[in-house]
Amino acid sequence: MPAGSIRWRILASFLVIISVIFALTSTRLTEYVSGFLYEQRIRQDSLSVERLADTAAPLFASADEEGLRESLLRAGGELGGRLLVLDRDGKVQFDTWARLMGTRLVTGEVQRVLSGGETVSYGIHHTADEGWVAYCAAALTGGGGALLYVRDVAEMMASLDGVRRDLTAVFSLAAIAAVAAALIFSHVLTRPINRLTQTIRRMGEGDLSVRVPVKGSGEMRRLAESYNTMAAQLEALDRSRNQFVSDASHELKTPLTAMKSLLEDVLYQPSMPEETRTEFLSDVDREIDRLTGIINDLLTLTRMDNGRLEIHAEPLSLSEGVQETLHMLRPQAEKRGQKLLADIDEDIRIQGDPNKLSQVFWNLIENAIKYTPDGGTIEVRLRRRGNEAIFTVRDNGVGIPEEDLPHVFERFYRVDKARSRETGGTGLGLAIVKQLVNLHGGEVKVASVHGEGSVFTVILPAEAEG
Ligand SMILES: Nc1ncnc2c1ncn2[C@@H]1O[C@H](COP(=O)(O)OP(=O)(O)OP(=O)(O)O)[C@@H](O)[C@H]1O
Ligand SMILES: [Mg+2]
């Protein structure tokens, strides 16, 4: 578990909390228990010793040694401890254990009684030869001096130790339980994060199909869902890019192959008549034009994808724009014996990019010419409806089957691959039209009956009349 990881932090926090609680509770609790035990002892012992001192004082004062010995020995037997009588200098005058006669014994308790003015004083000590003992000193009124009661409190101290040990044991168990809980808790908490990290790593290595399981509720669930959504979008984007690149390569390959075989013919047939040679080379020239056209279309599309295609909007007359495009395409229609009818409302003005709008008109009218047999009719119309300019191109050409209609605006989509290749189509024209119209805040629609003809409609926001 690396330091700094969430698991480690949770564990450390748990341990700190537990230790602080333990330290606080155990000191408070032992203080409370020991206070309870001492106080009872102190009260009892002090009372007994004080009472005994009252009886012993006159005996000590009158130097009735025999009486003193008798009463102390009896009391010592009853109390279950050792009794000593000290004179005002702290010298032992009598000891029920008869060991310290004549020695000076000045413990804190004795001092407080002899010179501190207290009638009774109590304290607990640990000595090397006696172990844990309690001293209770009481003043012998009248003759001066003190009565000292020494009692073995080993048992009491042991029980206090027992309490401490019990507490430690209980808290150790609690700490172990808390650590276990922290481990489990942190595992549950970090597992989804770890899984997500692994998934992101695999995605970083290039596998865009990986997803994380969406489980549970709350933040983790939302995180997993957001991640999966993002991954799906990336995957779709990646797929469409790949598709685009492969389609584009394919499209570029066709004119290149054609050019190569044309040039090979010219190259390996030195005896080729001049006329044929010129014809071949003009074919090559046409293929180059086509290649340039495709590359330009591809550039336009990628620029639009990158958001780099800018619209240089200016007030312009849409009517004039359409007329100009018609003028340029008319020879193409005439060559095929097609009727190109125009019905253009005067002076429809909009805010737009003239070059890009011309490209829209050009692509749609050119399609109508391309996909209408010789001698057909193409009607181009421009109308205003409220705040909208409506441009329509209607032809009575081959039409588009219903199942292909939803796809004609897709990149590289061609209804009849063989036929459109013949006519030089790449399937990019309508994709570009759609994007350019969208950039102008308009929309483009198609209606068609297979074998009867098609109508393409562009609706653009226009300036109000007047
Ligand atoms: N007026 C129309 N009549 C019938 N089919 C059409 C018409 N316009 C477009 N289509 C169909 O829609 C397809 C896509 O048109 P689009 O203009 O995008 O491509 P293209 O004309 O084949 O090639 P490009 O315009 O890139 O040179 C065409 O290949 C054709 O099958
Ligand atoms: Mg086209």
Side-chain angles (χ1 to χ4, degrees), residues 47 52 64 67 98 115 120 167 178 258 269 279 283 323 334 341 460:
L47 260 172
L52 191 61
D64 178 354
S115 48
V120 64
L167 275 178
Q269 292 175 46
E279 202 178 294
D283 281 351
Q323 294 284 16
E334 273 167 8
L341 308 174
L460 290 165

Side-chain angles (χ1 to χ4, degrees), residues 31-186:
E31 254 170 41
Y32 177 73
V33 170
S34 64
F36 182 73
L37 286 175
Y38 286 142
E39 238 165 78
Q40 280 220 336
R41 275 287 142 84
I42 290 170
R43 220 175 299 122
Q44 271 174 18
D45 287 356
S46 303
L47 260 172
S48 323
V49 175
E50 230 179 333
R51 218 177 292 130
L52 191 61
D54 281 348
T55 6
L59 298 169
F60 180 60
S62 60
D64 178 354
E65 274 189 37
E66 201 44 48
L68 190 64
R69 165 198 300 271
E70 208 170 291
S71 90
L72 288 186
L73 281 173
R74 185 164 7 94
E78 274 168 21
L79 285 171
R82 181 179 185 179
L83 282 162
L84 302 105
V85 174
L86 299 96
D87 64 13
R88 74 185 68 206
D89 297 325
K91 203 185 263 175
V92 176
Q93 298 300 317
F94 179 74
D95 178 1
T96 49
W97 286 13
R99 280 197 207 149
L100 294 172
M101 299 292 238
T103 45
R104 249 171 72 88
L105 188 70
V106 191
T107 68
E109 292 77 22
V110 172
Q111 214 148 30
R112 274 193 290 278
V113 166
L114 288 180
S115 48
E118 290 181 19
T119 45
V120 64
S121 177
Y122 197 93
I124 286 177
H125 299 269
H126 189 264
T127 58
D129 49 336
E130 289 172 302
W132 282 105
V133 285
Y135 289 160
C136 182
L140 289 170
T141 43
L147 177 65
L148 180 65
Y149 171 53
V150 181
R151 170 208 264 280
D152 178 19
V153 287
E155 209 178 299
M156 185 180 88
M157 293 316 278
S159 73
L160 211 61
D161 263 357
V163 169
R164 251 184 230 122
R165 259 200 309 278
D166 282 357
L167 275 178
T168 314
V170 166
F171 272 94
S172 305
L173 277 179
I176 292 171
V179 168
L183 280 173
I184 294 169
F185 173 60
S186 60

